[in-house]
Amino acid sequence: MGEADKGTAVGTDWRAWQESWDRQQEWYMPDREERFRVMLDMVEATVGTRPRVLDLACGTGSITDRLLARFPEATSTGVDLDPALLTIARGHFAGDERVTFVTADLKDPAWTKVLPHTSYDAVLTATALHWLHSEPLAALYRQIGPLVRDGGVFMNADHMKDGSTPRINAAERAHRHAGMERAREAGALDWADWWALAAEDPVLAGPTAERFRIYGEHADGDTPSAQWHAEALRAAGFAEARPVWASPSDALVLALK
């Protein structure tokens, strides 16, 4: 199940692919950098500037990239299953001894056994766990709890819907999608466009095909509310949990061990 770091093609502009992924994600979330800033503010506030971090469902390593730029003495373990995004991550961070990447399926009950450490100061994830429905997500939180040291933190920034405000939700969604359409008309890439480019790249074509064999097309879970996340994290063994940032559609929930 687990797979350690392995080589990537020499000569590919991995920084360009990393930045291309970031721009594509920003089409959906214009405030993406703001949530990263608050996440790292709270890392510093709770566990300092030299943390051992688990970048959960890391993708191309967007969190790790910002973590190390702000905290050069931090270390990061990135874990994901997506072979295409991990190829970009491994290429982008090649030679950086502060970073390790592990291939693992978070739905596998034994995924924590392939990690290089049994304890982390901070476990961080963003816009990655919404594909899980509530029951498996709560089970994942119960696995994450023991990975966080006493006094350490877990943070999840993701789509979190409040079902008690349907009119507000509809207004926000319409406004957001209007902005997305304007950006698209100006040349922004969406999810499908970005993956089409990856499928045409000689280095990423194979990993991209494998990625779609694993996942199929993109699908979302039931995106429960921030309150649900906080309650599930307290049930998983965290002493405190609450949102520390929110947009009209998303939230960043922090849980302190």
Side-chain angles (χ1 to χ4, degrees):
M1 179 194 69
E3 183 180 346
D5 293 295
K6 60 183 180 182
T8 54
V10 176
T12 300
D13 190 343
W14 297 115
R15 165 58 74 177
W17 275 110
Q18 169 76 256
E19 292 179 352
S20 174
W21 175 260
D22 284 342
R23 301 296 83 76
Q24 178 259 126
Q25 290 286 284
E26 286 169 359
W27 183 67
Y28 296 93
M29 298 164 289
D31 50 22
R32 187 167 178 257
E33 292 301 324
E34 176 68 7
R35 70 190 70 193
F36 286 149
R37 182 191 66 78
V38 175
M39 179 180 281
L40 295 182
D41 282 351
M42 295 310 297
V43 166
E44 183 172 5
T46 55
V47 297
T49 60
R50 301 175 61 187
R52 176 190 288 170
V53 170
L54 178 62
D55 187 350
L56 190 72
C58 64
T60 63
S62 295
I63 290 175
T64 293
D65 197 40
R66 289 150 182 80
L67 172 80
L68 297 181
R70 179 160 168 179
F71 307 129
E73 294 183 88
T75 59
S76 179
T77 300
V79 59
D80 208 304
L81 183 62
D82 190 310
L85 299 185
L86 279 174
T87 295
I88 295 171
R90 287 184 169 116
H92 178 56
F93 293 98
D96 192 331
E97 295 182 354
R98 299 171 296 177
V99 185
T100 302
F101 289 101
V102 174
T103 300
D105 185 350
L106 298 183
K107 292 186 287 187
D108 185 327
W111 71 269
T112 61
K113 297 185 183 304
V114 302
L115 298 176
H117 307 290
T118 59
S119 177
Y120 289 86
D121 300 309
V123 178
L124 309 176
T125 188
T127 326
L129 303 184
H130 56 270
W131 50 272
L132 287 173
H133 287 272
S134 298
E135 186 174 338
L137 181 55
L140 179 64
Y141 282 170
R142 290 192 293 271
Q143 291 179 299
I144 291 169
L147 290 174
V148 179
R149 69 161 173 84
D150 288 347
V153 292
F154 168 77
M155 281 183 266
N156 180 14
D158 211 338
H159 312 316
M160 298 182 187
K161 296 180 181 178
D162 186 337
S164 69
T165 59
R167 293 168 59 202
I168 294 173
N169 298 350
E172 180 281 324
R173 186 180 188 279
H175 181 267
R176 174 164 43 89
H177 278 259
M180 290 167 65
E181 186 56 35
R182 290 191 297 271
R184 185 176 176 82
E185 291 172 356
L189 296 178
D190 68 7
W191 173 269
D193 293 334
W194 191 91
W195 282 109
L197 287 178
E200 294 172 358
D201 183 89
V203 176
L204 291 175
T208 296
E210 178 62 20
R211 182 244 182 250
F212 280 95
R213 281 194 291 271
I214 293 170
Y215 290 105
E217 295 299 324
H218 188 267
D220 283 342
D222 45 14
T223 57
S225 69
Q227 180 180 353
W228 179 94
H229 284 268
E231 291 172 355
L233 286 161
R234 286 191 289 269
F238 289 89
E240 300 178 7
R242 70 168 177 86
V244 292
W245 173 91
S247 74
S249 60
D250 292 17
L252 168 61
V253 172
L254 181 153
L256 186 68
K257 192 74 178 288

